[in-house]
Amino acid sequence: MTQMTAAGSFVQAVQALPLRLRQEALSLTEGERARTEELRLRIGRALYLTTPAGETALPQTRVIRSDLEQVLDRATEFSRYAASETLRRGYVTAQGGFRI
């Protein structure tokens, strides 16, 4: 996957984030976006990016419960019931094939 393609996938993946977290994630350089393999959201902690070099926090962020609710609502297109089967398995697949 080229850096440009990977950075484009990152942009698509962060669309599920609440606006304030999305804006911080999109402030990264194209190279940082391309190296990001995973976004980690934990209540009470910063948004973390997982890269081959390890985890990096976006220190200006702090995840709250409503952030996770918004991500789940967007990923399930506001129909958690329709996604209940995959939720039972511990994940939901968002538009673009991203696992949440």
Side-chain angles (χ1 to χ4, degrees):
M1 182 180 301
T2 68
Q3 181 173 323
M4 190 174 195
T5 303
S9 293
F10 176 90
V11 170
Q12 186 179 9
V14 299
Q15 295 309 307
L17 295 175
L19 182 60
R20 65 184 182 76
L21 297 177
R22 184 179 338 134
Q23 288 173 328
E24 291 299 329
L26 292 174
S27 71
L28 299 171
T29 67
E30 185 174 303
E32 292 170 317
R33 293 176 186 185
R35 286 187 296 279
T36 300
E37 297 172 346
E38 183 177 340
L39 303 167
R40 290 198 170 212
L41 288 86
R42 298 178 194 110
I43 295 174
R45 299 189 59 192
L47 169 63
Y48 279 81
L49 309 174
T50 303
T51 67
E55 283 191 338
T56 303
L58 294 181
Q60 60 279 21
T61 62
R62 182 175 169 92
V63 177
I64 58 177
R65 182 178 180 85
S66 65
D67 294 331
L68 297 181
E69 297 284 342
Q70 288 179 42
V71 169
L72 187 57
D73 285 342
R74 285 193 179 112
T76 62
E77 297 179 354
F78 296 90
S79 181
R80 293 182 191 182
Y81 176 78
S84 63
E85 185 59 38
T86 58
L87 282 170
R88 266 184 251 145
R89 288 186 245 142
Y91 68 93
V92 64
T93 303
Q95 186 174 356
F98 301 102
R99 284 179 64 157
I100 296 175

